[in-house]
Amino acid sequence: MNAPRHLLRIQCIGYVARFLGKPVQRVILPAGAHLQTPGSQHNYGQLLRPFHCSAVCSTSRPSQTQLEKTVEDETLNKDKSLVTHDDLFERAARDSKTKADFNRVVDVFSKKDIRRRGHVEFIYAALKKMPEFGVERDITVYNKLLDVFPKEVLVPRNFIQRMFNHYPRQQECGVQLLEQMEIYGLMPNVETKVLLAQIFGEKSHPMRKYQRIMYWFPKFKHANPFPVPHVLPSDPVELARFSLTRIADDLDAKISIYQYPSTDITEPGEEVMRPHIVGIQSPDQRSLLAKHNSCRPVFVEGPFPLWLRKTCVHYYLLRADPIPPEEKVEEEFDLEMIGPEQSLFYPQRVELDLERDMGDDFSFSVDDVEEGPVYAMCMAGQGDQATLSQWISGLQETCPILGQIPTVFRLDSGPRELQTSSGAQQTPEQEVETEQIIEEEPLLSQRVKL
Amino acid sequence: MNLNKLIVLSRSVKLGRNVFAARGACLHHFQSRRFIRSSARSLAYAKDLFLGKVNKAEVFPYPEISHEELEEINQLVQPVEKFFNEDVDSMKIDHEAVIPPETLNGLKELGLFGIQIPEEYGGLGLSNTMYARLGEITSLDGAIAVTLAAHQAIGLKGILIAGNDDQKAKYLPKLATGEHIAAFCLTEPGSGSDAASIQTRATLTEDAKHFLLNGTKFWISNGGWADIMTVFARTEVVDKDGQRKDKITAFIVERAFGGVTSGKPEDKLGIRGSNTCEITFEDTKVPIENVIGEVGGGFKVAMNILNNGRFSMGSAGAGLIKRLIELTSEYACTRKQFSRSLSEFGMIQDKFATMTLNVFVMESMAYLTAGMMDRPGVPDCSLEAAMVKVFSSEGSWICVSEALQVLGGLGFTKNYPYERYLRDCRILQIFEGTNEILRMYIALTGMQYAGKILTGKIKEMKKGNVGVVFEILGKKLKDSVVRTVDFGLTGKDGVVHPSLTESARMFEQNAAHFGSTVESLLYRYGKTIVEEQLVLKKVADVLINLYAMTAVLSRTSRSISIGLRNHDHEVLLTNTFCKDAHFKNNFLLTQLQKNSPENNDANIKKIAQEVLAKRAYVCSHPLDRTF
C-alpha cells in the first residue's frame, strides 16, 4: 500500500541528495520519518526500512534468544571457522520448519549486524532452503529476503558506475532471487519493485529482470486452459473426482462414487480397508455400451498414470476392441423423411451429384486410426481385480447389458512406485495414498537468467 | 478454377471492352439461353428464382376474386368484426387462460369452425383467399386465432385434403359446426421439430380390423378439448422388396375410442387462452377405416397439411398490425411532449412508417400466395407459404414492439393491450415450423431444384471444358458490359406499371444476381450445402426479399391500373420497400461471395463454438487483473 509512495519519495530524495551532496541525507531522513503522519508501528517500521543508516538502526537487543547467540558466535568466529549459512537455517529449525521459523532466521540475520556482512551468501543459502520451509511460493518471504540487501549503497551514482556492472555479485544475487520466483511461478508485487529500486536503482539488472517478468508473466498466466491447482484436494475421493473430470472433458459426464473409503474391523480383529471407487461415464458412453455386441468381451485395463503437477494418480479404463468392419451396421435412413422431397421440416440431404469444391474444402486429410470405444473410467484405492469388479458391478446398474458381456481384466502389476528422494516432503494426507501418489523433487534450474 | 475466379477474370477483362463490344451480337445468345431452359409446366415461382428466372406469368397480374366472392366475404366479415369488437374480452381470456364457452359458441354460430369445409358438409366452403381475409379479424385475439387454426388449418385439414368420402361425411359436418373440435398430433417429446423420430406406434390387431395406438404427443393445441385428432404414428409396412419397414401413417382418432388422456394445460407466455397440452394414447383402438390416405403414407399427408396452413399467418399479422396502427396513431397524435405532439417527431414517424410498410408487404405476400393456391390444379406453393410465414412472423414481432415503444412506459403496463399482443406474437416465430427450420427448408428446396438443372453444366465447368468456361466467361462479360438485366417486367410488354419502373429494375437486378450466386454456391459446396446453415440463411433471406418485392410490385401495378383508392400511397410504399430490400439483398449477396470481407460467418461460428464448448460466457470480467 505504501510502496508507491516510497517509490516516489526515494526518487525525490535521490534528487535532493544529488543536489545537496551526500551529508544531507542523514539529516533529511529522520525528518522524513517525522513528517509521516502518526501511523501505526508497522508503518513506522516500513518507513525506516529503506534508509539504513547507523543513526536509525537500533542496537538494542531486548531478548537475546538462543538463535541470535548462535548467529553472533558465528559472525564472531567467522574468520576462524567455516560455518555456512545453511547450518544457520538447519540449526534454527531443528524441530519445525515453518514460515515463522524462516522469518525468524532472516530477522536475526538482519538485526545482528548493521553492515549486513555476508548478506549475499545468506540470501543464496536462504533461497536454497526455501522449499524445505515450504515458503517457496510466498511473495512476502521473497520481499523479506530482498530487504536483507542494504539500501542505497548499491545504487550507481555516476555514469561510469552505471555503465559498468556495479556490484556484480549483489546484482547477480538479486537476479537469482527473482529467477527463483519465476521458477515457482510467483508474480512479484509492487513492494518488490520498490525494494529493487531502493537497493539496485532504476536501471539495474535485477530491475530489468523484474520488468521482464512483469511483461511476460501476465501474458502466460492463463496460457493453460486446463489449470491444475497448486494445492490438490487431500480427500482421495475428491482428488479422483477432479482427475476424472479432467480426463473426460465432457460436460455431460457424470461422476458416480461406487464406494467410499472406509475401514472395517472383522471378527478376528483384522482391519479390512475398503478402498474408494470413483467412476465417470458420459451419456454417450452409456449408449455406446448399450449397443455393444455381447459376444465380444470388454476389457478393464490399467493402471494408467495421470500427472497433476508433482502428483501422479492412476486410472482404469473399461474399453473394447474396435468394431470389425463387417459387423458395423450402417444406420438406415428413410429417404422419404430426410431426403430432398420432404417439406414437413427441411431436407437433411439434397440429392446432387456435386461434391464440395476443392477451394472450399478446408478439411485436412488425416489418417484416422480407428480405436476401440472407451465405455467408462474409474479411479480406485486399490488396483486389484476384486476392487475393479465392484466398479463393473456398479456400472451394471445403469447398463444391465454389462452383465452378459464377458469382462476381461488386463491389469498391470499395480502402480509402480517411484522411490521418492525426499520422503520428508510428503504430507500426512499424501502418505495415505502412497500407492497412487508419487512425489518428485521439483526440478529447480540453477541457471541465472538476466 | 471456380466461378469466382471467373468473375474476377471477367472484371479484369473489362478493359478490353471495346474489343469485345464488336462481338456483342454473338454473345447475346448466352443471355437468351437462360429463357430457353424451363420446365414444361411452370407453377413454381420461387423455385425458378433460384435459376435466375422470373416466371412472371405466375405472379402478374395480382390475383383477384370475383364480385360474388367479394360480396360474400364482405357480408361475412362484418358480423365477425362486430363480434370480435364487442363480445370478445381478450384481456379476460389472457388473464384466466381460458376462452369462455359463450365466446366459443359465438364463434361456432358465425361458422368460424368450418371456414374451408365445403358447404355440402355444413361449412362455409371458402377459398384460401377468403380464409386469409377472415384470418385478419380472428387474429385480433391470439388465443382464438390459434384455437381456430389448430382446429381447421391443421386439425381437420387431413380429412379435408386426403380423407375419403366416408370419412368426410362422418366427421366433417360435426367439425364444421364446432360440435367437435379437432387437433393435430405430430410433435413428440423426443422429436421437437424432427418428425423423423416419431415413436408413437400403431400395431395392427390380429383380426386386422383395428390399430392399437400407443405413445405420447406433446404441445398439442386444443389437446385438452379436442374430440377428433389427426394422429401420426409409426406402422410396420411391407415394402416392394418384401422387407418390413417403419412408415408413418395418419389416423383419425376419436377421443371416444378410449385410452386417450390429456395432461394439464401448459402455462404459456402468450396465447394463454388457447389450450396446449400433452396427449397420451394407451392401446387406443382405431378402426382401419380411420387411416387417412393409405397406410404408410402419413408423411405426405402431414407435409401437405403443414405446407398449406402457413400462408394465413401473413394476413393474420397484417390484421393485427393494422389494428395497432389505429390504436397507436391516436395516442401519438394526442399526446403532447415538449409542447409538440408525438406525431411530429421523426423517430415516432419512423415507427409508423415501419409498421405501415410491414403491413403492406405482409398483406401483399399473403394474398398473392393465397391466390396462387386457389388456382385450379395442385400448385406447389409450399415455398411461398413458408416465406410468408417467416416474413410475417418476424415483421409482426418488430411492429408490435415498435407500437409498444410509441406508448413508452404505458405500453409496458397491463392497462394497455400491447404487452399482450407482444406476448401472443412471439409464438408466431416458433410454431408451424420454427423460422430457422423454414429458412433451411426454403433455401434447400430451391437449391435442390436448381441443382438438378445445373449439375450437368457445373460438372462440365469443373472438368475444365473450354467451351462451357468461355460461355460463362462471355455471360459474365456481357453482364458487366451491358449492366442492365431485363426480364421483361417493364418496357413495352411490361407487366409492371411504369411508375414502378425503378423498383422493378432493382428487383430484376437482384433476381439475376441471385441466380448467379446460387450457381456459384452450388459450384462451391455441392451437396454439402446442407451443412452450410449460415449460407442457407442468407439465401433464404434474399429469396424472401425477392418474393416480397414481387408481391408489392404486382399488387401496386394492379392498384394503379384499376385505380384503387389511395394507390399513390401504395406506389410510395412499394418504392420505399423495394429500395430498402434492394440494398439488403445487395449486402446479403455480397456476403455470399467467396472471400467477401463482409462475411463474418467463420467468426460467428467460432464464437459460438468457443462459448458452447464451455457452456458459458468465456471472457474474463473487465475488472479482473493478472497482477
Side-chain angles (χ1 to χ4, degrees), chain A residues 116-180:
Chain A
R116 305 270 168 90
R117 240 175 307 205
H119 64 266
V120 172
E121 289 80 2
F122 175 77
I123 290 170
Y124 274 127
L127 287 177
K128 216 168 151 191
K129 288 288 171 190
M130 281 177 98
E132 272 181 44
F133 284 81
V135 290
E136 75 275 19
R137 272 185 224 292
D138 193 332
I139 181 71
T140 54
V141 175
Y142 283 97
N143 285 342
K144 202 172 174 62
L145 263 187
L146 261 186
D147 207 10
V148 172
F149 278 112
K151 311 295 173 311
E152 294 282 284
V153 291
L154 306 177
V155 179
R157 279 154 209 275
N158 55 46
F159 74 95
I160 298 178
Q161 287 178 347
R162 225 166 273 135
M163 216 154 66
F164 295 99
N165 211 355
H166 198 48
Y167 286 106
R169 276 191 70 226
Q170 277 78 358
Q171 289 209 35
E172 206 169 283
C173 178
V175 169
Q176 185 58 44
L177 186 138
L178 290 168
E179 174 83 10
Q180 183 162 331

Side-chain angles (χ1 to χ4, degrees), chain B residues 248-412:
Chain B
I248 289 177
T249 307
F251 298 94
I252 306 169
V253 180
E254 293 174 34
R255 193 178 284 269
F257 288 163
V260 184
T261 43
S262 353
K264 211 173 116 259
E266 305 285 345
D267 194 10
K268 303 185 291 290
L269 173 76
I271 51 164
R272 294 172 51 82
S274 71
N275 178 295
T276 309
C277 64
E278 175 187 327
I279 293 190
T280 309
F281 298 98
E282 217 180 319
D283 284 333
T284 305
K285 229 174 167 188
V286 186
I288 201 157
E289 309 86 79
N290 274 24
V291 171
I292 304 179
E294 54 188 65
V295 176
F299 204 72
K300 281 216 168 69
V301 176
M303 254 160 39
N304 285 332
I305 294 172
L306 286 176
N307 283 344
N308 290 324
R310 288 174 184 135
F311 75 97
S312 64
M313 219 177 277
S315 65
L320 171 67
I321 310 301
K322 274 194 247 178
R323 167 60 65 86
L324 285 184
I325 289 178
E326 283 165 21
L327 289 174
T328 45
S329 59
E330 194 185 326
Y331 179 83
C333 293
T334 47
R335 161 100 177 155
K336 290 263 197 265
Q337 190 85 38
F338 314 116
S339 70
R340 285 157 82 188
S341 80
L342 270 188
S343 56
E344 289 173 49
F345 293 105
M347 287 202 204
I348 300 294
Q349 290 169 353
D350 179 32
K351 293 184 201 311
F352 281 98
T354 309
M355 287 193 270
T356 314
L357 278 170
N358 267 301
V359 178
F360 181 66
V361 179
M362 276 183 220
E363 238 176 26
S364 313
M365 284 170 91
Y367 287 103
L368 175 65
T369 313
M372 281 160 84
M373 288 168 73
D374 280 336
R375 252 174 247 173
V378 196
D380 176 18
C381 295
S382 59
L383 223 57
E384 283 83 356
M387 287 195 279
V388 173
K389 194 257 169 181
V390 173
F391 185 92
S392 52
S393 59
E394 278 165 18
S396 308
W397 175 246
I398 293 168
C399 290
V400 175
S401 166
E402 291 283 32
L404 191 150
Q405 186 73 19
V406 171
L407 269 83
L410 287 180
F412 197 65

Side-chain angles (χ1 to χ4, degrees), chain B residues 417-462:
Chain B
Y418 301 96
E419 60 87 29
R420 173 165 49 80
Y421 282 130
L422 192 82
R423 284 185 286 113
D424 286 354
C425 201
R426 194 63 187 79
I427 191 63
L428 297 181
Q429 296 176 51
I430 298 168
F431 69 3
E432 294 208 32
T434 64
N435 282 7
E436 287 72 24
I437 276 176
L438 287 179
R439 280 202 165 88
M440 287 290 284
Y441 168 66
I442 293 164
L444 278 175
T445 311
M447 282 287 181
Q448 171 74 58
Y449 177 77
K452 267 192 182 147
I453 293 163
L454 295 176
T455 302
K457 185 178 156 197
I458 292 172
K459 273 192 149 175
E460 285 295 306
M461 223 153 70
K462 285 204 178 188

